[in-house]
Amino acid sequence: MHKSKKNKNFSPPFKQVGQPLIFDENVTRPTVQYTPTKTETFIYNSEKLDSFVQVDEFTYSAQPQVIHWINIFGVDNLNLIARLKDILNIDPLTLEDIVHLNQRPKIDEFSDYIYIIVKMLYLDSAVNEIKTEQISILWGKNFVISLQQREGDVFDPIRKQLRIPQSTLRNRSADFLVYSLLDTIIDYYFVILENLSDKIEDLDEKITLNPDQKTISTILNIKKQLIYFRKSITPLRETFRYFQQTDSPLINKETLKFFMSIHDHVFIAIDNLETLKDLLSGMYDNYLTSISNKMNEIMKVLTTIATIFIPLTFIAGIYGMNFNHMPELKWKFGYPLSLFSMAVISGIMILFFK
C-alpha cells in the first residue's frame, strides 16, 4: 500500500467509521447488477496513435515514451475497478473514492500517482437543468485514467487533437493530457454561464415589458441552478491551489503554468457566477416592484371608480327613500334633474382625478 504525501490543506479520502473497505483484500465484494462498462483507450506518442474500445475490460502495459489514456464509462463494475489496484497498484482508499460518488473536488498525491476529483457539468436540454457528474482522474508517469459515472462527456476536442500528429497534445507528456482534460471541463463551465446569462437577459426584457406568474417560477429555477453551480465549482478554488504548492515529479515546469491558468479560470468562473447571482437578485426585486406598481395601478382605477360612485349612490339613496312628503318626487323635472346632477358630478370628479 502506498503512503500518501498529501498536502495539509487537502482532506483525506472519505470513509465511514466502522465500514470495511470494498477493495480490501480480505473483504468479499458484493455482487451487483450493472450496465456493461465501456472503456476507451488511446495509446500514443508523437509518432503513432492506437485507439480502441472494450467492454468490461481495459488494457494497459507500461511502455517507455508511450502514454496511455484510458477513459472508463461507469464505475459500478467493482471487479473492473479492482483491477486498477492489481495492475497499477492504486491505493484501496482511492478506489473507494472512485465508486463512492458525490465526493467533494480534491487532489490527493501519492508516491507514484496523483488522484483528482472534479465535477463535470452539462446542460440537460430535456429538463432544462444543470446536471453534474463526478470525474475521477488517476495520473501517473505514462498513464492517465479518467473514470466517469456514465457515457457522454465534453472531451471530444481532446479526442480530435490526439488524432492530429502535429498537435501539442501528441508531443507532450501525460501531465499535459491531464491539463487538457481539466481545462476542457472548466471551459464548459463558461458555456453554461453564457447560457444562464442569455436566459437572465431574456427574462429581464420580459419583466420590463410584461411580467406574469411564470416569470417568478423562471427566476426561482435559474436561482436554483446558480446555487447548484456554485456548490459544484467553489471547492475548486482551494483544490487547484495544490498546483501552487506541489513539487511532484509528475508535473513538468513548462506545464505548471498551464495548470496555474486553470486556477485563474476557476476564479473567473466564480466571479461571473456571483455577477449573475447579483443580477438575478436585482431582477427579482424589479419583478416585485413591477408587480407592486401594477397592483397599485389597478387599485387606483378601482378607487377612482368607487369614489365617483359615492356621490351618485348618495343621490340615488336620498331619492330612493319612500317618504310621502318629498316634493321632488312629484315634480316633472325631478328625474331628468337628478340624472343631470349625477352626470355633472361624475364629470367634475373625472376631471379632478385626471
Side-chain angles (χ1 to χ4, degrees), residues 195-206 283:
N195 180 272
L196 292 174
S197 179
D198 292 340
K199 288 182 180 179
I200 292 175
E201 185 177 345
D202 294 339
L203 193 60
D204 187 33
E205 184 177 350
K206 186 176 181 180
M283 195 174 301

Side-chain angles (χ1 to χ4, degrees), residues 236-337:
L236 293 176
R237 184 167 48 190
E238 296 299 324
T239 301
F240 285 168
R241 190 169 291 173
Y242 162 86
F243 296 112
Q244 296 177 338
Q245 305 166 347
T246 184
D247 56 354
S248 172
L250 295 176
I251 306 178
N252 296 318
K253 290 184 178 180
E254 59 268 21
T255 311
L256 188 59
K257 62 182 180 182
F258 294 106
F259 284 108
M260 296 300 296
S261 70
I262 296 179
H263 191 214
D264 294 338
H265 291 168
V266 170
F267 273 91
I268 294 173
I270 293 175
D271 288 342
N272 291 346
L273 183 61
E274 293 297 331
T275 299
L276 292 181
K277 187 178 177 182
D278 292 340
L279 287 174
L280 195 65
S281 298
M283 195 174 301
Y284 182 72
D285 294 337
N286 290 339
Y287 170 80
L288 295 179
T289 301
S290 178
I291 293 298
S292 178
N293 291 338
K294 195 173 182 180
M295 183 63 68
N296 289 340
E297 289 295 326
I298 294 174
M299 292 302 297
K300 180 180 178 181
V301 172
L302 294 177
T303 302
T304 301
I305 294 173
T307 304
I308 290 173
F309 273 91
I310 287 175
L312 306 185
T313 304
F314 175 76
I315 295 173
I318 290 293
Y319 290 103
M321 295 185 293
N322 295 320
F323 292 111
N324 292 328
H325 302 288
M326 294 186 70
E328 294 88 348
L329 295 179
K330 296 180 180 180
W331 185 35
K332 65 178 180 177
F333 296 110
Y335 177 67
L337 183 61

